[in-house]
Amino acid sequence: MNLDDTAVAIAAAVNAREISAVEVATAMHARIEERDGAVGAYLATTGELALAHAQLVDARVKAGERLPLAGVPLALKDNMCVAGTPTTCASKILAGWVAPYTATAVQRLLDAGALPLGKTNLDEFAMGSSCENSALGKTANPWDLGRVPGGSSGGSVAAVAAGEATVALGSDTGGSIREPAAFCGVVGFKPTYGRVSRYGLIAFASSLDQIGPIAHTVEDAALVYELMAGRDPMDATTVDRPVEPASHALREDLAGVRVGIVGEFGLSELEPAVREVYERAYADLEKLGAELVEVALPTADFGIATYYLIAPAECSSNLARFDGMRYGLRVEAADVGATYEATRAAGFGDEVKRRILIGTHALSSGYYDAYYVRAQKARTLIAADFAKAFSACDVIACPAAASPAFAFNAKTDPVSMYLMDYYTIPMSLAGLPSLSIPCGYVTPPGAAGPLPLGLELSGPLFAERALLGFAHAYERATQHAELQSIPALPGPVGAR
Ligand code: GLN
């Protein structure tokens, strides 16, 4: 066993007692200490908690249990609660708040033997596409430390890419797992809305938020997904529908699979080198036996406009609870109203404030029908377009993002940042399962070396098992993740 093994391999070694979970926890913690100064994936490490869980795992394995994630190092985006651990959402407003309970998705993975190594950086309250909106720290892309890791789950993705965690959880509202996964060359998977409990995930936009796995392989992502998915009495939006085991149904080819290529997502506007990577990816799908069919998503172009009404509307309501009375930061002022104002003014960053303003406006009487209701209608049309497209294909393939990771401070106006999610937002609005998988590399001028690109594969509602199966066939045939590795990180160990 070595620290760069997959979750499947680490769990097998720990279950076979070739190595103990305590040894894995100790070694991974040491590696984080060495590397994270350069990457900044973690806001806080939870080494003692990981060790305590490791001891428990070793005792259970010794007693004859086999645990599917025995001793697997897990990183958690810091918008997920772990009892007794600070949870910040990378915001000043939650300063000092310690979670009193553990998120269901996290608890299920801990029960399966995973080790909680720490809490990772994110854009404040998961609002952003580069991790630069964090109020608490800077995370770099392990492929090029002068570039962003993507966002908002940038810390979780950077942790996996840099070998500072074997698997991680992110949350995806409009692309926050898939876009950073593409930027950092790992697999990032957003399940169908309602598949994974949101209990203990601090809400951004409740009708869109979904927790999902980040991993080096589709098999690891499938394993983490199936362990945390399923009905949870604590989240009424979870769906009472059996979770088909996905990690045992992984395919080796795509014979008979119809892959939809979206007419409206033509590749002609992309940089030539980026376009070539995607053209090759589509050709590779065909080589694996898939039939490429053109499908239409005529309303997908309205995705960004629709999302940037619905998500801010929901966030303006969800974030109303942070007022200095019961959680985190409190800035005392003359009376209760002034205290709310002073606390929120000091506690929230610019992007969060912008969204609260937009959302409150869109929900206000007089504008509600013109903005919010219209956006909901557009959302219905987008979902209907997908349903129609899926009558002609089994999976839709498209870029996960239009470019590789960009440099810090490259996108200063909010709209250019919002456009980063052009390819991921429509699937979120429709609630579909969708993932990003490494599909090649480009070396733009000024980059330290090759930068990864991601292919986005999306399926019909609840088709996780088929979708992960297709992605596995593509991954095994192309092996893009094996073709390049991240440059040596500063620190004694260096390259993965
Ligand atoms: N980048 C999008 C936003 O800023 C999506 C974020 C997310 O998925 N959490 O809202």
Side-chain angles (χ1 to χ4, degrees):
M1 212 262 357
N2 80 61
L3 267 191
D4 294 318
D5 277 348
T6 62
V8 170
I10 292 176
V14 172
N15 280 318
R17 299 180 64 195
E18 287 159 18
I19 187 168
S20 70
V22 167
E23 286 169 298
V24 178
T26 310
M28 191 55 96
H29 191 72
R31 181 184 268 187
I32 294 170
E33 298 270 286
E34 279 165 17
R35 295 188 182 177
D36 209 43
V39 178
Y42 288 93
L43 289 175
T45 52
T46 49
E48 282 179 22
L49 189 68
L51 213 53
H53 274 276
Q55 282 162 351
L56 208 68
V57 168
D58 286 334
R60 286 173 68 185
V61 168
K62 196 168 169 208
E65 270 191 84
R66 278 189 64 84
L67 303 170
L69 292 178
V72 173
L74 168 71
L76 299 166
K77 186 174 182 178
D78 201 21
N79 59 354
M80 293 172 206
C81 295
V82 177
T85 304
T87 299
T88 64
C89 287
S91 179
K92 288 190 265 185
I93 207 148
L94 273 167
W97 184 67
V98 175
Y101 58 90
T102 299
T104 300
V106 175
Q107 190 62 52
R108 288 182 180 177
L109 300 187
L110 300 184
D111 292 345
L115 311 178
L117 262 299
K119 307 298 290 291
T120 60
N121 200 13
L122 63 152
D123 288 294
E124 186 175 4
F125 283 100
M127 298 175 196
S129 305
S130 68
C131 230
E132 290 165 289
N133 290 337
S134 168
L136 303 184
K138 176 172 169 176
T139 301
N141 189 315
W143 290 85
D144 178 344
L145 299 174
R147 289 174 189 259
V148 303
S152 64
S153 309
S156 279
V157 166
V160 172
E164 297 177 30
T166 307
V167 291
L169 292 186
S171 65
D172 190 309
T173 305
S176 276
I177 290 177
R178 292 161 285 162
E179 185 248 20
F183 280 11
C184 292
V186 298
V187 177
F189 174 43
K190 180 198 91 75
T192 304
Y193 180 78
R195 262 305 196 198
V196 176
S197 170
R198 293 179 294 109
Y199 178 71
L201 169 70
I202 296 179
F204 160 16
S206 309
S207 76
L208 293 154
D209 298 343
Q210 192 62 195
I211 292 177
I214 294 150
H216 279 291
T217 64
V218 171
E219 188 181 19
D220 277 3
L223 178 64
V224 171
Y225 154 72
E226 71 195 19
L227 288 168
M228 66 183 171
R231 172 102 181 105
D232 174 18
M234 303 305 281
D235 174 1
T237 61
T238 52
V239 177
D240 197 3
R241 186 177 164 132
V243 179
E244 300 168 283
S247 62
H248 300 303
L250 300 169
R251 305 171 52 123
E252 301 300 331
D253 65 50
L254 295 176
V257 176
R258 297 164 305 164
V259 176
I261 305 294
V262 182
E264 290 78 2
F265 291 170
L267 303 177
S268 58
E269 280 165 37
L270 302 178
E271 287 286 325
V274 173
R275 186 173 69 217
E276 253 173 57
V277 167
Y278 288 111
E279 281 167 354
R280 201 169 338 111
Y282 296 167
D284 284 342
L285 293 168
E286 218 169 4
K287 268 195 229 147
L288 276 163
E291 180 198 347
L292 301 191
V293 293
E294 184 165 328
V295 295
L297 293 177
T299 54
D301 234 14
F302 300 109
I304 300 250
T306 305
Y307 174 90
Y308 278 98
L309 287 166
I310 292 174
E314 294 186 17
C315 104
S316 72
S317 165
N318 276 325
L319 269 55
R321 75 191 66 175
F322 302 107
D323 56 11
M325 294 300 120
R326 281 172 297 168
Y327 316 102
L329 182 78
R330 176 177 190 143
V331 179
E332 295 286 353
D335 55 35
V336 69
T339 300
Y340 289 162
E341 284 176 17
T343 300
R344 289 166 68 83
F348 288 136
D350 288 348
E351 183 60 28
V352 173
K353 285 177 184 157
R354 179 180 296 119
R355 304 230 185 160
I356 292 172
L357 288 173
I358 294 172
T360 308
H361 183 69
L363 290 174
S364 61
S365 90
Y367 292 99
Y368 181 86
D369 288 328
Y371 291 125
Y372 184 71
V373 171
R374 246 184 123 103
Q376 291 292 14
K377 288 180 178 167
R379 182 179 189 172
T380 303
L381 294 176
I382 291 169
D385 271 358
F386 273 108
K388 194 160 164 225
F390 283 124
S391 64
C393 68
D394 306 298
V395 59
I396 287 176
C398 66
S403 73
F406 47 87
F408 286 104
N409 303 315
K411 305 215 181 271
T412 43
D413 72 298
V415 174
S416 70
M417 193 68 89
Y418 296 171
L419 285 169
M420 289 317 300
D421 294 304
Y422 178 78
Y423 294 110
T424 51
I425 275 178
M427 294 71 180
S428 293
L429 289 167
L432 303 174
S434 182
L435 57 82
S436 175
I437 178 172
C439 70
Y441 302 85
V442 288
T443 309
L451 300 173
L453 292 174
L455 177 70
E456 186 181 34
L457 297 175
S458 309
L461 293 169
F462 301 106
E464 280 86 1
R465 177 177 157 117
L467 177 64
L468 290 160
F470 303 153
H472 181 262
Y474 176 80
E475 172 190 81
R476 291 295 90 211
T478 56
Q479 308 223 342
H480 286 293
E482 281 83 357
L483 293 177
Q484 301 278 355
S485 50
I486 58 166
L489 290 167
V493 171
R496 286 181 42 229

